[in-house]
Amino acid sequence: MIRVLARLRMGVKGNRGSLMQERKDAEKLLLQLTQRKAFCDELQQLTRGKQLKGTSRIHGLDPYVDEAGMLRVGGRLKGLAEGTAHPIILPKHSPVTRAIVRHFHQKVQHQGRGITQNEIRSNGYWIVNGSKVVTDLVRNCVPCRRLRRPGEEQKMANLPEDRTEPTPSFTNVGMDCFGPFTVKRGLSEIKRYGLIFTCFCSRGVHIEMLDDMSTDSFINALRCFIARCEGHIYGTGLHSYSISPTQ
């Protein structure tokens, strides 16, 4: 916006003058037009030396009109240079305001509301209700939505019949290996693994030890588990080796 307006001004002048100066003048003109449209009554009152009414949107900012005719935030830092100490006041509903917020949001690499708003203020702009303006822009920013959107979660399927029908313990089981655990045997240290069985119906747990992750060790542990299940059926008691969540 500034670049186009500066080119038009130079074209009217016959390409005379400095492009950098024309860009500064174009920026100043855009800000003046924006303030005249949004704060017409406030500018007239302050130019005539009157105090703003308490119903004004910018009454709490203690505004004043600078030498260029622009509204700036007042305060107790009038001895310092204008800019960060006395930023230019901008309305929240304006294409120029949205362009400024979008520019500094891209400049800070699509950071959040706080960093974007601090960058705007450090460059000499004060937006009325700026937090809401920046929040709305960040919420509608496509790159930010892609980066900050939570991951989609797959809806879980219905439980299989093995998990819902009432059956004796360990009729339907699932199994998995875990470990390793370092244990001592004499003066040496060896690795041992675990094989866990869980009942689909009662959620009971049974654990067998594996010497290693070979197929033979797994088959031996599975046979021990089956033997204990058969002992439970005939009354020898698998429950002494099983742990339920309630226990």
Side-chain angles (χ1 to χ4, degrees):
M1 196 183 304
I2 294 173
R3 185 167 55 251
V4 172
L5 185 56
R7 289 291 184 183
L8 290 175
R9 289 169 61 91
M10 288 192 67
V12 172
K13 296 179 180 180
N15 292 329
R16 295 191 303 270
S18 171
L19 179 60
M20 183 62 67
Q21 184 61 38
E22 287 296 336
R23 294 190 63 171
K24 292 181 179 179
D25 295 340
E27 180 180 2
K28 186 184 299 183
L29 178 60
L30 287 173
L31 295 175
Q32 289 174 345
L33 293 175
T34 302
Q35 288 187 342
R36 289 173 188 173
K37 183 177 180 180
F39 308 117
C40 181
D41 296 337
E42 287 84 351
L43 281 170
Q44 291 179 358
Q45 293 177 14
L46 292 174
T47 303
R48 296 173 184 175
K50 297 181 180 180
Q51 295 292 330
L52 293 182
K53 297 180 181 179
T55 56
S56 175
R57 294 169 293 173
I58 59 175
H59 177 267
L61 300 178
D62 189 22
Y64 71 95
V65 180
D66 63 2
E67 297 179 355
M70 289 190 292
L71 282 171
R72 292 182 177 270
V73 177
R76 301 169 60 188
L77 301 175
K78 291 185 178 180
L80 300 178
E82 294 179 344
T84 306
H86 301 284
I88 298 172
I89 302 175
L90 293 174
K92 61 180 180 179
H93 299 300
S94 172
V96 175
T97 303
R98 289 195 295 270
I100 290 174
V101 175
R102 191 180 303 110
H103 167 73
F104 287 108
H105 181 58
Q106 295 174 356
K107 185 178 179 181
V108 298
Q109 303 298 324
H110 294 275
Q111 296 293 328
R113 178 192 62 81
I115 297 178
T116 302
Q117 191 169 4
N118 290 338
E119 185 69 17
I120 294 172
R121 291 179 179 177
S122 63
N123 282 272
Y125 300 103
W126 184 283
I127 302 174
V128 179
N129 292 335
S131 297
K132 187 177 184 305
V133 176
V134 177
T135 300
D136 292 341
L137 183 134
V138 173
R139 185 186 300 116
N140 297 323
C141 179
V142 175
C144 291
R145 290 173 66 90
R146 289 177 178 175
L147 294 173
R148 295 180 174 85
R149 185 179 180 88
E152 298 291 339
E153 295 183 0
Q154 182 70 30
K155 184 178 180 180
M156 298 184 66
N158 295 329
L159 292 174
E161 295 182 359
D162 297 340
R163 295 283 301 276
T164 57
E165 62 181 4
T167 56
S169 299
F170 295 97
T171 301
N172 301 299
V173 299
M175 65 187 74
D176 195 6
C177 295
F178 62 93
F181 299 95
T182 303
V183 297
K184 280 192 174 184
R185 186 174 63 181
L187 299 177
S188 61
E189 292 184 352
I190 57 176
K191 292 181 179 180
R192 288 292 182 265
Y193 300 85
L195 178 62
I196 184 171
F197 299 89
T198 177
C199 176
F200 284 166
C201 181
S202 65
R203 304 308 297 172
V205 175
H206 177 74
I207 298 176
E208 291 285 344
M209 187 184 70
L210 299 179
D211 293 335
D212 51 42
M213 294 294 289
S214 64
T215 304
D216 293 338
S217 295
F218 170 77
I219 293 176
N220 290 335
L222 181 60
R223 286 175 175 174
C224 290
F225 171 71
I226 295 173
R228 294 185 186 280
C229 288
E230 292 176 351
H232 175 65
I233 294 174
Y234 293 108
T236 57
L238 172 66
H239 58 276
S240 61
Y241 297 92
S242 302
I243 303 174
S244 65
T246 55
Q247 293 174 337

